[in-house]
Amino acid sequence: MDVDTDMGLSQNSSTRPTATAHSHSHPHSHSHSPAPALAHSEYPSLVIRNVHLPFDSDSPTLADPLYNVYCVGGRVDSVELATANGNGHGSRHSTPPHHPEYQAKDRQGAHAELDAQGRGILLPALCHAHIHLDKCFLLDQCDELVTGHFAEALRVTAKAKSAFPHNPDDLFDRGRKLITQSIECGVTLMRAHVEVDEAVHFACVDAGLRLRKLFRDICHVQIAVFAQDPFFASPMDDRPGLNYVLLQAATHRPGVEAVGSAPYVEPTIAHAKRNIELVLDLASERGLHADFHLDYNLEPASEPLIWHVLDQLRARIQHGRWRPGAHVCIGHATRLTLFSPEEWARLRVAILEERLPVTLVGLPPSDLYMMGRHMEFAPRGTLNVPKLAEEQGLRVAMAVNNVENAFTPQGPVDPLSLCPLGVAIFQAGTKKDCRALLEAVTLNARLAIGGFSTKGSPSGALSMTPARGAPADFVLLHENDTMHGAALNPSFSRTTIRHGQVVARRVAQTWIAPQKTPSPDPVLSAELPPSHHGHGHGHGHGGA
């Protein structure tokens, strides 16, 4: 999925595409296999009117006005100024909020228009850089948690996983629920990990590939075959076992786009390094992305395996054994929070100066839940996204990882929920910090899983604003007008757009009792002298 990141902003476009549209597709409606994926020329056109845009400058000259975004053939065609006053459509705090109006302009749904009516900010679509499709919503099928420790999570999950091959419908339905809720949040691209091992064999892969096909018109589900269990059964083994053989076979399945593992589960450091080498070999042979759950600890004495990944990747690139465009994703990496400035400088050189295709992905819900349990004062054991952006210039992604399972029993599927969480745990509430947090679940997340081609440009060239020629994938936050507000308190109500088509809309339904003339406070009234009490006969204190 390559993206041209050139900015295509025009205040006065000479050619204005016809307003677009396509019949509103909703994730819940997909109970059968969709039609074949559309070619770009077959996508309808869409005009998104009267919307705020997330400019890279905080200048009110750019940020306050409203804009129209024209999408043709699934890509951004142009962006132009809509009005000189961003508040011309009413107060930002109006109640009840009004939501964007969606209209098809012809019977065939070839042209549509989405009018934000002066409210809402249009962000790049959200991306799950790291989420487990097969282990979601699994907590009620696991034994009760007693300690909550990682070893217990592995044990109870392994027991629950043993039933996966015997209940494929449950596996499929839980995955469909995860994808559906994600699209409603604004996700149009996700890396979905599906496990391969002696217990489940290819049951999870089968479910993942079915779901990938089912949702392909409204969300790109990038399947990553993943080995949670070790390749080597004991410290004495010098050859990988059945888990590796199964993973190797899974990489040959059509539709698989990434291969990954968790080297930290191996019996020794030497075996963990061999695990890394084997996975990189599989990625190289099959032209896949690689994904590691790596350095998941807070032990100062433990050897950071990130250096072995970089050395092995560098060697493969130098010998022409790495596909251009293939990316390496490093998930968790909590051990790196203990890095010295010198270690961070070394990593910065590898990623930014050597331009090794590597991105770090922090997983705050899991990292904070699991890390530091043995410490009297547990640290913030997850990658500090705003600090690494500011001090090292690194684009670090954030991801949800797990939803309602033993590894992460808490939290929603929404990637945007990580932004207000990040504000608190990183003590990062400035506009600059909030921009970094939003980039972590949009641009950086896509970068981490190979969702961008910067054509030789440094990753810093990526922009939050719509770019001419880029895929028209957006999330419109109905009740946020600024990036700062979107990170601090994300709107629940949203519209999801993929390739210039509205594919989901989520709107809150609220109710409150009718407001009446307040009655006297009974506590306050009891404290007043008798002369202050009402003497009316038969008159209610409350209004109509």
Side-chain angles (χ1 to χ4, degrees):
M1 179 182 177
D2 292 340
V3 175
D4 184 355
T5 58
D6 294 335
M7 182 65 188
L9 179 64
S10 171
Q11 300 270 5
N12 296 292
S13 177
S14 58
T15 59
R16 210 179 271 188
T18 308
T20 56
H22 150 269
S23 59
H24 193 122
S25 299
H26 193 280
H28 289 296
S29 67
H30 285 262
S31 57
H32 59 278
S33 296
L38 297 173
H40 283 303
S41 61
E42 296 176 293
Y43 284 112
S45 58
L46 174 70
V47 179
I48 307 165
R49 296 192 180 278
N50 301 310
V51 70
H52 293 274
L53 294 181
F55 279 94
D56 293 325
S57 167
D58 287 328
S59 168
T61 305
L62 290 175
D64 192 51
L66 300 175
Y67 293 86
N68 298 334
V69 179
Y70 297 91
C71 309
V72 178
R75 294 182 176 271
V76 176
D77 184 80
S78 64
V79 181
E80 65 178 37
L81 190 66
T83 170
N85 186 353
N87 294 327
H89 289 258
S91 168
R92 293 180 178 182
H93 306 286
S94 59
T95 302
H98 51 271
H99 298 291
E101 293 183 352
Y102 179 81
Q103 291 183 326
K105 294 300 184 180
D106 63 7
R107 292 182 179 179
Q108 292 75 32
H111 308 287
E113 183 173 303
L114 182 66
D115 189 349
Q117 305 182 75
R119 286 299 317 274
I121 188 167
L122 192 70
L123 297 179
L126 305 178
C127 173
H128 283 311
H130 182 130
I131 198 156
H132 288 268
L133 189 64
D134 46 7
K135 295 189 294 193
C136 62
F137 308 114
L138 192 63
L139 198 60
D140 61 350
Q141 298 181 33
C142 293
D143 292 343
E144 183 178 354
L145 300 180
V146 177
T147 66
H149 290 168
F150 189 77
E152 181 185 55
L154 281 173
R155 177 178 55 78
V156 300
T157 302
K159 182 178 178 181
K161 276 171 51 181
S162 65
F164 286 2
H166 311 293
N167 196 355
D169 289 343
D170 173 73
L171 191 58
F172 181 85
D173 289 343
R174 287 187 292 104
R176 180 167 54 184
K177 177 181 177 181
L178 176 79
I179 297 172
T180 297
Q181 290 187 3
S182 297
I183 296 169
E184 291 171 346
C185 290
V187 172
T188 63
L189 172 64
M190 65 175 69
R191 172 165 292 172
H193 292 280
V194 290
E195 297 195 12
V196 180
D197 56 42
E198 298 179 33
V200 298
H201 283 235
F202 303 119
C204 302
V205 179
D206 292 339
L209 291 174
R210 284 179 60 202
L211 289 164
R212 177 182 186 269
K213 182 178 180 180
L214 178 64
F215 285 95
R216 64 183 173 182
D217 285 340
I218 58 178
C219 182
H220 183 169
V221 181
Q222 188 190 86
I223 298 298
V225 290
F226 169 63
Q228 174 70 72
D229 293 345
F231 295 160
F232 301 90
S234 77
M236 305 305 295
D237 289 344
D238 59 359
R239 302 179 69 175
L242 182 57
N243 285 335
Y244 170 73
V245 173
L246 291 168
L247 185 70
Q248 183 181 39
T251 63
H252 290 260
R253 296 286 294 274
V256 169
E257 298 181 66
V259 58
S261 68
Y264 57 77
V265 300
E266 296 293 353
T268 69
I269 288 293
H271 287 98
K273 291 180 177 179
R274 183 67 182 131
N275 177 303
I276 291 168
E277 295 163 12
L278 289 168
V279 168
L280 289 175
D281 284 344
L282 289 177
S284 174
E285 292 164 6
R286 301 298 302 164
L288 305 175
H289 302 295
D291 196 307
F292 294 104
H293 295 49
L294 199 73
D295 291 332
Y296 195 24
N297 66 78
L298 292 175
E299 301 296 335
S302 67
E303 177 184 349
L305 294 180
I306 181 70
W307 306 123
H308 191 68
V309 171
L310 297 180
D311 288 342
Q312 292 294 315
L313 177 61
R314 188 182 290 114
R316 284 162 176 76
I317 292 173
Q318 290 172 350
H319 290 89
R321 295 179 53 217
W322 192 257
R323 177 180 66 83
H327 209 82
V328 177
C329 184
I330 306 294
H332 292 297
T334 53
R335 171 63 177 81
L336 277 58
T337 63
L338 307 180
F339 268 13
S340 66
E342 293 75 21
E343 288 172 306
W344 279 119
R346 178 184 170 190
L347 185 59
R348 182 186 184 280
V349 167
I351 295 176
L352 296 185
E353 297 183 20
E354 292 185 61
R355 295 186 182 175
L356 293 180
V358 175
T359 301
L360 305 178
V361 181
L363 309 172
S366 303
D367 298 344
L368 295 172
Y369 177 72
M370 282 294 181
M371 290 293 99
R373 285 173 173 265
H374 63 289
M375 301 178 181
E376 184 176 358
F377 300 103
R380 295 178 174 92
T382 192
L383 294 169
N384 190 323
V385 170
K387 184 178 180 180
L388 291 174
E390 172 70 18
E391 296 183 359
Q392 305 298 335
L394 293 176
R395 285 191 170 274
V396 177
M398 293 191 299
V400 171
N401 187 24
N402 287 299
V403 180
E404 291 184 31
N405 66 25
F407 297 95
T408 317
Q410 84 292 350
V413 72
D414 184 10
L416 266 186
S417 69
L418 303 179
C419 293
L421 175 63
V423 169
I425 61 176
F426 304 132
Q427 299 174 332
T430 68
K431 289 184 178 180
K432 190 172 185 178
D433 291 335
C434 287
R435 172 183 290 276
L437 292 169
L438 286 173
E439 289 181 349
V441 296
T442 55
L443 302 181
N444 301 358
R446 286 178 177 260
L447 183 68
I449 63 174
F452 281 115
S453 172
T454 55
K455 298 181 180 178
S457 300
S459 60
L462 303 179
S463 173
M464 294 287 284
T465 49
R468 179 178 174 83
D473 282 27
F474 304 108
V475 57
L476 174 60
L477 306 181
H478 300 183
E479 297 168 27
N480 298 123
D481 291 340
T482 66
M483 281 197 288
H484 199 205
L488 296 174
N489 186 17
S491 168
F492 176 86
S493 298
R494 306 175 192 181
T495 298
T496 306
I497 299 161
R498 181 172 189 255
H499 289 172
Q501 300 177 85
V502 173
V503 296
R505 184 178 184 182
R506 189 175 79 170
V507 178
Q509 292 185 339
T510 62
W511 180 88
I512 188 171
Q515 298 168 346
K516 300 179 180 180
T517 303
S519 302
D521 188 308
V523 176
L524 181 62
S525 299
E527 295 175 351
L528 293 173
S531 61
H532 287 79
H533 286 234
H535 298 286
H537 298 282
H539 297 288
H541 291 288

